[in-house]
Amino acid sequence: MLSLPYNSSTPVLYINKNALEEAGLDPEAKPATWPEVEEILVKLKEAGSECPLTTAWQSWVHLENLSAYHNAPFATEANGFAGTNTELAFNGDLQVKHIDKMGAWAKDGLFSYSGRRNEGGARFRSGECAMFTESSAGYAGVKAEADFPFTVTNLPYWPEAEGAPYNTIIGGASLWVMSGHEAEEYAGVAAFLNYLSSAEVQAQWHQDTGYLPITTAAYDLTKEQGFYNENPGTDVAILQMTGKAPTENSKGIRLGNFDQIRAIIDEELEAVWQGQKDAKAALDEAVSRGNELLRRFEQSTR
Amino acid sequence: MACAGPASSGRPMEKRVTFDNRLLPYLLLTPQLVVTIVFFFWPAAQALYQSLLLPDPFGLGARFVWFSNFEYLFNDRYYLQSFVTTAVFTFFVTLVSMSVALLFAVMADQVIKGAGAYKTLLIWPYAVAPAVAGVMWLFMFQPSIGVIAFYMKAVGIDWNPVLDGGQAMTLVILAAAWKQISYNFLFFLAGLQAIPKSLIEAAAIDGAGKWHRFRTIIFPLLSPTTFFLLVVNIVYAFFETFGIIHTMTSGGPGQSTTILVYKVYSDGFVGQDLGSSAAQSVILMVVVGILTVIQFRFIERRVHY
């Protein structure tokens, strides 16, 4: 282990039950696939919704996780894990199809873009947006602020992709311990990390925030306490992450200059949502701009 | 050592107050020199040096790459586009902040009752940090949470700076200009108060109207202040506005608000690509240097001191 995973989460779909009911839909609906989601979006729009669907973290949810979830490569060389000579690959058929669909939804008023980070959260929690793809860690905020009943369900997938859905991947952060300190300081660090990863602390952290528990013991403890039964949907993220044995494409992503690459992806996706570029052109451009950054990174590691 | 000034003369008949200590002038200059060396020359030299390096991902080592950081930048058409974006942004920030400040200064100069309160309130925004200013404007104009955005939508304005590049640009220009109005106001007000009242009164007696007096007497006499502020405002828009961009738009939508200094910030501090960030700083430094020289050569000729 390089560092201690801490606030890890994975994207899920949040649904405002009242919005479904007002549109004459089954409020308990849990659409599993994007075509099922589309049917609901059309009805929501017909019923007058200004924002049937929005998202947070578009690159993470709609390209990185989309790719892992359908066992499609985001980048070559096992998403960068096998070497720094990796090249981006998220302009494949599946990703182009998905972004093209979302572009069409944006044009038709079925999908409303909120911003690059999690600006969409306020719009979902206030009831403006009916459906919201966001990190499982958005749970605490939704639970605290939304004055309507909501569903948390799996990120939808495309049924025609072979073997889909695979597992989704994590986002978040981890704790690093730096070298160069005194032995007794490390003893303190170790005690603190042991405390943080103890089942009780992890279970509480997981239940309060929606972040994933980092140990099986914390998951089992949460189950024992009956939390998942009382709060349906809170185990969706865990099951979705661990549902299948991860493949080369769904283990995670390791790329240099990834922050800048995500900014490029944001820029190109915005061009799609504005209707300035089609999905294929935007993703091709993002791949080629991103590859330049990867080559730059490769040089710096030589 | 000939430039040591008054201290070099030792004639007994000299009437002026003189200081015979040769070191004193240097001593008096030291604080300013130290500040300039530590906060300008040293970082500038560092930037020049780092712009020739390609550091490794964790910043533990670096390779000397000559000018490849610059080569990379000038081959990037998005970087070149960002010059145009910066020009538009700087032009409007300077125009808006200076003209509004001049208007306020002229008006505040005429206020008799409660002048102090007006002045204090007008100067206040200068104390707000750029990032905080950005967030405040966001609370008003962000389409999902903004108070004013809510009413704009309610009256049917299609307000969506999250996807509309022109609206996003307008928003960051207003926020950046707003923050600088106070500073400009202060200097314009001081400039106005330094204009001899007798000149204005004489013009009034000769029958010159308010606008005529402003155009032919006040504005020309303000020109040293205006020129100074022009230089300062351009430097402000070029260098000090990344906090506003970062909190409000992150350079988006697309690259419509990615100004040069924001890219320096995001590549260097967010992306950890210090070589490229340093090269961009050097380019920025050169651009502002050239602009300042142009201003002193061509615009300053029209300034009446």
Side-chain angles (χ1 to χ4, degrees), chain B residues 77-140:
Chain B
R77 66 192 166 91
Y78 291 91
Y79 183 65
L80 301 179
Q81 177 59 34
S82 146
F83 278 89
V84 180
T85 312
T86 309
V88 172
F89 176 78
T90 305
F91 176 80
F92 282 105
V93 167
T94 308
L95 182 75
V96 172
S97 66
M98 284 181 64
S99 47
V100 174
L102 180 59
L103 180 72
F104 284 170
V106 169
M107 280 157 56
D109 197 32
Q110 293 164 355
V111 168
I112 297 162
K113 259 190 192 169
Y118 281 112
K119 286 169 196 167
T120 308
L121 288 174
L122 281 164
I123 293 161
W124 227 336
Y126 193 60
V128 178
V132 177
V135 170
M136 275 167 37
W137 279 75
L138 216 54
F139 279 137
M140 295 189 286

Side-chain angles (χ1 to χ4, degrees), chain A:
Chain A
M1 199 192 313
L2 287 169
S3 63
L4 180 77
Y6 199 63
N7 56 336
S8 310
S9 64
T10 204
V12 291
L13 176 67
Y14 293 80
I15 304 172
N16 179 336
K17 289 190 192 179
N18 286 358
L20 294 194
E21 198 163 16
E22 281 162 26
L25 293 155
D26 173 14
E28 299 303 325
K30 287 182 181 174
T33 66
W34 286 114
E36 287 171 46
V37 168
E38 186 174 31
E39 282 177 32
I40 295 178
L41 295 180
V42 170
K43 297 218 171 92
L44 284 163
K45 169 85 184 163
E46 280 168 5
S49 172
E50 291 272 312
C51 173
L53 170 71
T54 192
T55 188
W57 317 109
Q58 51 189 354
S59 166
W60 183 57
V61 178
H62 294 282
L63 281 176
E64 296 159 37
N65 270 291
L66 174 88
S67 303
Y69 209 29
H70 297 84
N71 194 25
F74 184 81
T76 61
E77 301 298 318
N79 283 343
F81 280 102
T84 53
N85 56 336
T86 171
E87 294 203 341
L88 298 172
F90 57 75
N91 54 348
D93 291 342
L94 170 87
Q95 293 97 334
V96 168
K97 178 192 165 159
H98 182 72
I99 297 304
D100 183 55
K101 199 74 193 170
M102 285 188 68
W105 290 346
K107 191 167 160 249
D108 295 339
L110 301 181
F111 161 61
S112 172
Y113 178 59
S114 302
R116 294 180 177 185
R117 301 171 228 191
N118 54 357
E119 292 87 344
R123 301 178 71 195
F124 178 75
R125 298 195 295 268
S126 69
E128 184 192 350
C129 296
M131 297 170 101
F132 180 37
T133 50
E134 152 76 314
S135 151
S136 58
Y139 177 79
V142 175
K143 189 170 170 137
E145 288 177 31
D147 55 4
F148 49 81
F150 62 92
T151 307
V152 180
T153 187
N154 293 82
L155 194 67
Y157 63 95
W158 290 101
E160 57 271 43
E162 208 185 310
Y166 287 79
N167 62 294
T168 52
I169 52 180
I170 56 167
S174 59
L175 300 174
W176 293 74
V177 181
M178 301 296 166
S179 63
H181 290 267
E182 303 293 321
E184 53 179 39
E185 288 178 313
Y186 286 117
V189 168
F192 179 61
L193 295 185
N194 276 334
Y195 165 77
L196 282 185
S197 42
S198 70
E200 288 75 22
V201 172
Q202 272 300 312
Q204 192 195 345
W205 167 250
H206 162 55
Q207 294 168 23
D208 287 353
T209 63
Y211 282 111
L212 299 161
I214 58 167
T215 58
T216 317
Y219 172 63
D220 291 338
L221 180 63
T222 305
K223 211 189 233 169
E224 255 170 55
Q225 292 169 343
F227 181 77
Y228 298 128
N229 288 333
E230 286 162 33
N231 300 277
T234 44
D235 55 349
V236 160
I238 303 159
L239 301 175
Q240 182 179 291
M241 274 265 324
T242 54
K244 271 193 187 167
T247 70
E248 206 174 63
N249 296 323
S250 70
K251 263 187 179 154
I253 298 169
R254 189 181 73 174
L255 300 175
N257 286 332
F258 200 11
D259 264 313
Q260 291 99 311
I261 293 173
R262 276 182 171 161
I264 288 173
I265 291 173
D266 282 333
E267 289 168 13
E268 296 296 335
L269 289 182
E270 279 163 354
V272 178
W273 312 151
Q274 283 168 311
Q276 287 175 349
K277 275 189 188 172
D278 65 50
K280 175 88 178 121
L283 292 183
D284 284 350
E285 181 72 1
V287 163
S288 100
R289 289 172 66 190
N291 280 340
E292 283 174 34
L293 286 167
L294 288 177
R295 294 295 70 76
R296 196 174 153 74
F297 181 78
E298 189 183 7
Q299 277 177 20
S300 75
T301 56
R302 263 182 206 154

Side-chain angles (χ1 to χ4, degrees), chain B residues 35-229:
Chain B
V35 167
T36 313
I37 289 168
V38 170
F39 292 104
F40 180 72
F41 285 107
W42 187 55
Q46 282 282 320
L48 275 170
Y49 174 60
Q50 284 199 353
S51 70
L52 306 176
L53 301 178
L54 187 62
D56 75 23
F58 291 95
L60 302 172
R63 221 149 45 89
F64 191 78
V65 291
W66 285 107
F67 295 102
S68 89
N69 287 328
F70 292 94
E71 213 178 292
Y72 178 74
L73 284 170
F74 285 113
N75 280 321
D76 179 357
R77 66 192 166 91
Y78 291 91
Y79 183 65
L80 301 179
Q81 177 59 34
S82 146
F83 278 89
V84 180
T85 312
T86 309
V88 172
F89 176 78
T90 305
F91 176 80
F92 282 105
V93 167
T94 308
L95 182 75
V96 172
S97 66
M98 284 181 64
S99 47
V100 174
L102 180 59
L103 180 72
F104 284 170
V106 169
M107 280 157 56
D109 197 32
Q110 293 164 355
V111 168
I112 297 162
K113 259 190 192 169
Y118 281 112
K119 286 169 196 167
T120 308
L121 288 174
L122 281 164
I123 293 161
W124 227 336
Y126 193 60
V128 178
V132 177
V135 170
M136 275 167 37
W137 279 75
L138 216 54
F139 279 137
M140 295 189 286
F141 288 101
Q142 214 275 339
S144 336
I145 55 166
V147 180
I148 297 179
F150 178 81
Y151 290 106
M152 286 168 84
K153 274 194 222 161
V155 298
I157 298 171
D158 188 14
W159 175 251
N160 190 9
V162 174
L163 274 183
D164 185 318
Q167 290 180 354
M169 185 54 125
T170 311
L171 195 53
V172 290
I173 286 171
L174 286 178
W178 171 78
K179 230 199 86 50
Q180 192 66 3
I181 286 173
S182 304
Y183 182 87
N184 297 345
F185 168 79
L186 207 58
F187 278 87
F188 274 132
L189 189 67
L192 285 172
Q193 288 172 348
I195 295 173
K197 286 277 175 288
S198 55
L199 279 176
I200 298 164
E201 281 159 11
I205 291 166
D206 287 344
K210 225 175 186 179
W211 169 244
H212 199 67
R213 292 202 297 272
F214 178 79
R215 200 171 54 81
T216 55
I217 297 176
I218 298 174
F219 192 67
L221 285 174
L222 267 183
S223 61
T225 310
T226 312
F227 178 67
F228 164 77
L229 287 178

